[in-house]
Structure formats: C-alpha cells, structure tokens
Amino acid sequence: MARIIAVANQKGGVGKTTTSVNLAAALAIEGESVLLVDIDPQGNATSGLGVDPMTWGKTIYEALINRDNIESFIMPTEVNGLSLVPSNSHLAGAEIELVNMEAREQRLKEALTEVVDRYDTILLDCPPALGLLTINAMVAAHSILIPVQCEYYAMEGLGRLMESIQRLRQSFNPDLEIEGIVLTMYDARNSLARQVVEQIRGHFKESVYHTMIPRNVTLAEAPSYGRPALIYNAASAGAQAYLSLAKEFVVHGEKSTR
Ligand SMILES: Nc1ncnc2c1ncn2[C@@H]1O[C@H](COP(=O)(O)OP(=O)(O)O)[C@@H](O)[C@H]1O
Ligand SMILES: [Mg+2]
C-alpha cells in the first residue's frame, strides 16, 4: 500500500509544487512507483509535468464532486514510474460545491482507495489555503510534508498549520504525522537565510530534513518546459538537491513503517 503524503503549507510561493513535482520525479528515478495528484486549481503541478491543464478533460475535480473513478484519468508522464492526476481551474469551484455534500472531507480519501495498492508513494500537491481541498488531502494522507521558504516570515503561519493538523488528528485522521519540514530556496550567501534555518531547526529539531533546497534557476525554469528539473537539467544543484531529499525521504519512510 502506498504512503500518501500531502505537501501542504497555506502560504503561497513556498515551494509546494516545486517540491511535489521534483520529489515525485526523484522517487520515480530511484525506482519507486509514484502518483502525483494535483489538487490545486492553479494546476501548476499539472503544467509542470507537461500537461496543459485546460486541454485535458477529466481532472481530480470529477473524482471529488461526481465520484468518478480516478483510475480513468491517471496520466503517464515523461518520467518512467511517475503518473499524474491532473487539475485545472474548474477545481476552484469544488471548495464551494463540496460544502453541502455528504462526506465532504473524505472524498479524496475515497477516490484514492481504488489505486492506493498500485503505488509506493502518492504525493498530493495542495493549494495555498487551509480550505476543504487541503482538508481532503490531510484526511487522505498518512503524513504531511511541509515546505518552508528560508525567508524572514518563514515561521509565520506554521502555528496555524500545526493547529489544523492537530484538529485533523482529533477528528478524521488520528494517525496523521508530520513527515518532515523541507527548507526551500536557501541562499547560503544570505545571512538572514542562515538565521532562519537555525531558528527552524532549533524549533522543529529532527523533523527538519538535512537536505536543503537551494535557490536555483533550473528549478524555476524547468516548469516552463513542462519537465521536472531532473529531466530538464539533471546536473543542476536543484535537481541534485531533490534527489538527495528523495533518499532521505525513503529512509524516513522505512523507519516509520518499521
Ligand atoms: N528552490 C527554488 N529556486 C528557485 N526558484 C524556486 C525554487 N522553488 C520554487 N521556486 C519558484 O518559486 C515560485 C513558487 O514556487 P512553487 O513551488 O510554485 O510554490 P507553491 O506551490 O508553494 O505556491 C515558482 O515560480 C517556482 O518556480
Ligand atoms: Mg503550488
């Protein structure tokens, strides 16, 4: 059965999608069978994997709202072993449409039960909000991977995220864990960034991955070519950092299932 990991942080622009796409690709390159589910109406993970969100027909929206079988719209990607469930802007309506539906928090979990046996890892790329889509991800997930940008306001909002996780534990998902915190867009020349890293490591201790993702132009460029960095430019510091994160992630996973 797959480990299901929600990549979440209600702040936008912290590296959720970059981490989802590149960690998913790195795990696939390491030999895992991986499914990336885009649950952000912006569809950045979808386009980042070379799929035009607007030309593709069925998306995660149909699985959540109509309970359509998710299997029929899983797409292969250029990376062997990595598949995608796409999203597009229609999903924006789901936040509202779900409100009055039965089992509104559990739709994604239900949708994934059909495919969970087929993958080693399922990553859920969450939108920048703590609304029903992110809640669906937190109900479906075994754990949460939190990207945190190495900047002055990094800690801001993390308290609220931790509270949400705590609430989910008390309601729908008592076993929900923090998979880890990944520091993104790190610039070693910036003394402020170094202080932020110290602060976050001091606070969250061993929950923080050793691997830090550097600020790297390949990571910013690759999505416009519809490719993960490891395909677009495998030698880049960004691609190599995600490969190293994937290795740490696998070791963590082996520990937590022991
Ligand atoms: N390590 C990085 N180095 C350089 N640019 C990055 C890095 N990580 C993300 N970006 C860029 O920063 C922006 C926000 O990242 P993204 O992953 O889309 O964040 P989120 O999904 O949390 O909103 C994007 O334009 C992305 O290409
Ligand atoms: Mg995103």
Side-chain angles (χ1 to χ4, degrees):
M1 207 179 78
R3 295 162 74 200
I4 305 178
I5 287 101
V7 181
N9 184 337
Q10 75 274 27
K11 256 194 183 187
V14 298
K16 287 182 290 299
T17 299
T18 305
T19 297
S20 299
V21 168
N22 291 293
L23 177 61
L27 289 169
I29 286 165
E30 289 285 292
E32 285 201 10
S33 172
V34 184
L35 179 66
L36 174 53
V37 183
D38 190 354
I39 60 159
D40 184 351
Q42 290 179 43
N44 292 338
T46 301
S47 55
L49 284 173
V51 175
D52 181 344
M54 289 327 288
T55 57
W56 177 246
K58 290 207 173 179
T59 69
I60 189 66
Y61 175 88
E62 278 78 14
L64 294 176
I65 302 296
N66 305 331
R67 288 176 157 154
D68 284 1
N69 190 332
I70 203 169
E71 275 172 275
S72 58
F73 38 95
I74 290 177
M75 306 182 74
T77 71
E78 206 181 338
V79 185
N80 234 323
L82 172 59
S83 301
L84 168 76
V85 176
S87 157
N88 65 27
S89 58
H90 296 164
L91 189 61
E95 285 278 1
I96 298 147
E97 288 170 65
L98 279 170
V99 170
N100 292 314
M101 291 186 167
E102 54 154 325
R104 61 184 183 183
E105 296 91 352
Q106 292 161 74
R107 295 275 174 136
L108 183 60
K109 185 185 172 92
E110 284 170 19
L112 291 175
T113 52
E114 295 164 29
V115 297
V116 75
D117 287 333
R118 248 187 271 160
Y119 299 93
D120 298 308
T121 301
I122 300 179
L123 292 177
L124 313 171
D125 183 26
C126 293
L130 288 171
L132 267 175
L133 289 169
T134 296
I135 289 173
N136 263 272
M138 289 185 178
V139 172
H142 300 119
S143 62
I144 315 282
L145 179 62
I146 308 169
V148 171
Q149 191 181 344
C150 299
E151 49 138 44
Y152 185 65
Y153 293 110
M155 296 282 279
E156 193 183 77
L158 281 182
R160 264 187 69 211
L161 182 57
M162 295 302 165
E163 279 165 29
S164 298
I165 293 170
Q166 195 51 36
R167 266 200 305 280
L168 262 294
R169 284 180 183 142
Q170 287 158 3
S171 52
F172 296 101
N173 194 354
D175 300 326
L176 184 62
E177 286 178 24
I178 310 273
E179 183 68 35
I181 292 177
V182 56
L183 296 163
T184 65
M185 296 182 237
Y186 179 64
D187 179 356
R189 292 164 304 184
N190 182 333
S191 63
L192 178 63
R194 292 200 305 267
Q195 283 170 33
V196 169
V197 168
E198 233 171 84
Q199 188 190 14
I200 292 175
R201 288 200 188 282
H203 195 271
F204 292 101
K205 307 270 187 305
E206 56 287 351
S207 297
V208 186
Y209 288 103
H210 294 296
T211 304
M212 291 194 278
I213 309 301
R215 188 170 279 287
N216 175 256
V217 67
T218 295
L219 291 173
E221 264 173 22
S224 62
Y225 296 90
R227 299 175 129 188
L230 274 161
I231 303 289
Y232 174 64
N233 179 2
S236 64
Q240 289 302 311
Y242 276 107
L243 205 51
S244 142
L245 180 68
K247 289 181 175 145
E248 248 190 272
F249 175 90
V250 169
V251 173
H252 271 206
E254 282 165 359
K255 277 191 198 137
S256 70
T257 52
R258 244 178 241 150

